[in-house]
């Protein structure tokens, strides 16, 4: 049974609509919050948290609701408003309260709710012999989670795709700041979005899968887990060795693939610099279109705009910015963009992943022209391209996936110069690199194959060692 209920409405939930939704717990509801709060927490009279309601989010990006919630929900045309209510698992009435809150919004504003059938308009009898109160979260407090111990914050999620929402981003940041791990517990059918997979960089953070037949296991490594000393930890076998859950084993090779392009650019300080242009160039080379939208969390809600993206990064400077971009529904693509100041300018780190259906051609012919464009106009430092069998919808299942294989690596002109042109031109590889850009100061493009042989990582290792051993 899910804890989350989402209202998708064609009209903005204004203060009156939100107030009507909050009266799902009865007419005596007292609201003590301000319009600037991102989250409203509905609590029982004794202070027990029941439901957290996030600020309504306007979604301009087509396909985002379907990407994250599945195709079974009729979605209003963009732009529409996404209002999420998250119910506590500790109180049985909380889920009904979240459903009644969202049902009242859609009754007033139109639209629909997820999951189908969750919405009601009835008054929910709340615990503690009385109504409920609503209050903003205390400043600096860890957002409400399902289990909190000295070492771990546990979030229980049951959604088709568990995404890097604004709320979950806040939980992750707060957990790190408090010295805790974040463990996300899901049923085996749930999948992670790529941005959330990237954010969960490994222990102490975990994706914990609760399998009814196999118990708990790590959804990314397959390690069997058990709850001990206030956290999920690997359960070793009788000989002390790591044990991989049976449910984690792959089901067979996939004809679908993912092409991943990871590159880093660097620009000297320039007040007129517009960020995201390199990312857009990569998107156009590989999909013949610009990104559809960008944002700081999922759902990715804003229309693609490098200038707005730049303005946000400037506002956040000197702190780095972590941003997301998404493609059009007919060409699945997702990207993360990290913008960071350096001693000599501004660095942008991009990871762009394309989903390729079983019958879709690999856009490998576009890789070298893309590298050339990034070298000529976007300050490319390095670019690595890989290909591997994986879901074309760019979600991550709780099963072992085949590893990626390298396609190519590009070294920018500044790094070639630092290594030495003659040394960089003569790696211990079957093929010589292709020079890109000016003859006097070239970048070099190294090819490893068609992305079908993971053994080609040995060539990547040989190249890395060769470049690192450049004479000084």
């Amino acid at each position: 049974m899910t804890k989350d209920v989402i209202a998708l409405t064609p009209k903005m939930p204004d203060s009156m609509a939100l107030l009507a939704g909050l009266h799902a717990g009865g007419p005596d509801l007292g609201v003590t919050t301000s319009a600037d709060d991102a989250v409203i927490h509905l609590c029982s009279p004794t202070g027990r948290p029941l439901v957290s309601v996030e600020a309504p989010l306007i979604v301009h990006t087509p396909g985002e609701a379907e990407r994250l919630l599945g195709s079974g929900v009729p979605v209003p045309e963009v732009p529409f408003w996404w209002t999420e209510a998250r119910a506590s698992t500790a109180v049985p009435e909380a889920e009904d309260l979240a459903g009644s809150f969202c049902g009242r919004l859609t009754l007033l504003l139109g639209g629909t709710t997820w999951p189908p059938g969750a919405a009601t308009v009835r008054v929910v009898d709340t615990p503690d012999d009385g109504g409920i109160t609503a209050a903003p979260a205390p400043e600096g407090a860890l957002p409400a989670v399902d289990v909190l111990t000295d070492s771990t914050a546990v979030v229980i999620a049951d959604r088709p795709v568990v995404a890097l929402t604004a709320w979950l981003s806040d939980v992750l940041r707060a957990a790190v700041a408090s010295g805790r791990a974040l463990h996300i517990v899901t049923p085996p059918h749930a999948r992670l979005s790529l941005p959330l997979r990237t954010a969960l960089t490994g222990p102490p953070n975990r994706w914990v899968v609760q399998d009814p037949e196999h118990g708990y296991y790590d959804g990314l490594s397959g390690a069997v887990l058990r709850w001990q000393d206030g956290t999920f930890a690997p359960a070793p076998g009788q000989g002390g060795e790591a044990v991989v859950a049976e449910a984690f084993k792959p089901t067979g090779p996939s004809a679908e693939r993912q092409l991943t392009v990871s590159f880093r650019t660097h620009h000297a300080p320039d007040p007129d610099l517009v960020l995201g242009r390199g990312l857009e160039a990569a998107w156009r080379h590989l999909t013949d279109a610009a990104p559809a939208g960008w944002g700081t969390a999922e759902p990715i809600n804003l229309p693609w705009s490098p200038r707005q993206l730049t303005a946000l990064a400037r506002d956040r400077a000197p702190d780095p910015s972590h941003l997301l971009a998404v493609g059009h529904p007919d060409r699945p693509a997702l990207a993360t963009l990290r913008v960071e100041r350096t001693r000599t300018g501004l660095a942008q780190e991009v990871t762009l992943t394309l989903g390729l259906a079983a019958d879709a051609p690999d856009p490998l012919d576009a890789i070298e022209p893309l590298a050339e464009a990034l070298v000529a106009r976007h300050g490319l430092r390095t670019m690595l391209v890989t290909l591997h069998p994986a879901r074309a919808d760019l979600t991550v299942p709780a099963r072992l996936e085949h590893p990626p294989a390298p396609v190519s690596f590009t070294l920018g002109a500044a790094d070639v110069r630092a290594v030495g042109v003659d040394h960089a031109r003569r790696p211990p590889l079957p093929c010589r690199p292709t020079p890109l850009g000016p003859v006097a100061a070239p970048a070099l493009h190294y090819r490893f194959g068609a992305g079908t042989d993971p053994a080609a990582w040995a060539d990547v290792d040989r190249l890395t060692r060769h470049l690192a051993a450049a004479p000084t």
Side-chain angles (χ1 to χ4, degrees), residues 159-463:
R159 299 165 75 143
V161 178
V162 185
L164 188 63
T165 63
W167 175 83
L168 197 52
S169 297
D170 288 342
V171 172
L172 180 57
R173 281 191 293 268
V176 171
S178 66
R180 292 180 172 91
L182 172 62
H183 289 182
I184 300 174
V185 181
T186 76
H189 63 77
R191 291 166 277 126
L192 301 188
S193 71
L194 274 185
L196 180 56
R197 168 65 182 89
T198 301
L200 293 179
T201 54
N205 300 324
R206 292 188 186 278
W207 175 19
V208 181
V209 179
Q210 185 178 16
D211 190 283
E213 297 180 4
H214 302 279
Y216 296 101
Y217 68 93
D218 191 301
L220 300 178
S221 71
V224 173
L225 304 172
R226 65 185 177 194
W227 181 258
Q228 56 183 7
D229 300 325
T231 192
F232 286 100
Q238 293 182 351
E241 74 283 0
V243 180
V244 176
E246 188 71 23
F248 187 71
K249 295 181 178 179
T251 57
S254 172
E256 298 179 351
R257 293 138 296 147
Q258 291 179 11
L259 179 76
T260 301
V261 180
S262 301
F263 63 91
R264 188 173 189 269
T265 64
H266 190 273
H267 294 271
D270 181 353
D272 296 324
L273 177 66
V274 178
L275 304 177
R277 293 298 194 196
L279 171 59
E280 181 175 329
W283 222 294
R284 290 187 182 278
H285 272 80
L286 298 174
T287 71
D288 297 323
W294 75 283
T296 59
E298 296 177 284
I300 300 170
N301 65 311
L302 300 171
W304 176 247
S305 172
R307 293 196 177 276
Q308 291 182 2
L309 182 155
T310 301
L312 176 65
R314 289 187 189 279
D315 288 344
R316 291 183 170 184
D319 293 333
S321 292
H322 298 265
L323 307 171
L324 305 175
V326 68
H328 296 272
D330 59 339
R331 294 297 302 270
L334 280 167
T336 59
L337 169 63
R338 186 176 193 272
V339 181
E340 183 178 23
R341 283 187 180 180
T342 69
R343 291 185 298 105
T344 57
L346 197 70
Q348 298 178 72
E349 296 181 6
V350 173
T351 300
L352 168 60
T353 303
L354 276 66
L356 303 172
D359 56 351
D362 301 328
L364 299 185
D365 291 344
I367 298 300
E368 188 171 315
L370 167 60
E372 192 165 14
L374 294 176
V375 166
R377 294 184 289 276
H378 301 287
L380 181 71
R381 300 298 297 267
T382 60
M383 184 175 80
L384 177 67
V385 180
T386 63
L387 185 67
H388 76 289
R391 294 178 63 104
D393 63 6
L394 304 179
T395 61
V396 181
R399 288 188 177 275
L400 179 64
E401 294 188 299
H402 291 273
V407 173
S408 66
F409 176 76
T410 307
L411 189 66
D415 295 89
V416 169
R417 184 168 58 252
V419 170
V421 176
D422 289 341
H423 185 80
R425 283 181 185 271
R426 294 176 171 82
L429 299 176
C431 299
R432 292 293 186 216
T434 301
L436 305 174
V439 175
L444 294 175
H445 182 69
Y446 305 85
R447 295 180 300 277
F448 303 115
T452 57
D453 184 9
W457 284 111
D459 288 339
V460 178
D461 183 63
R462 280 191 287 271
L463 174 62

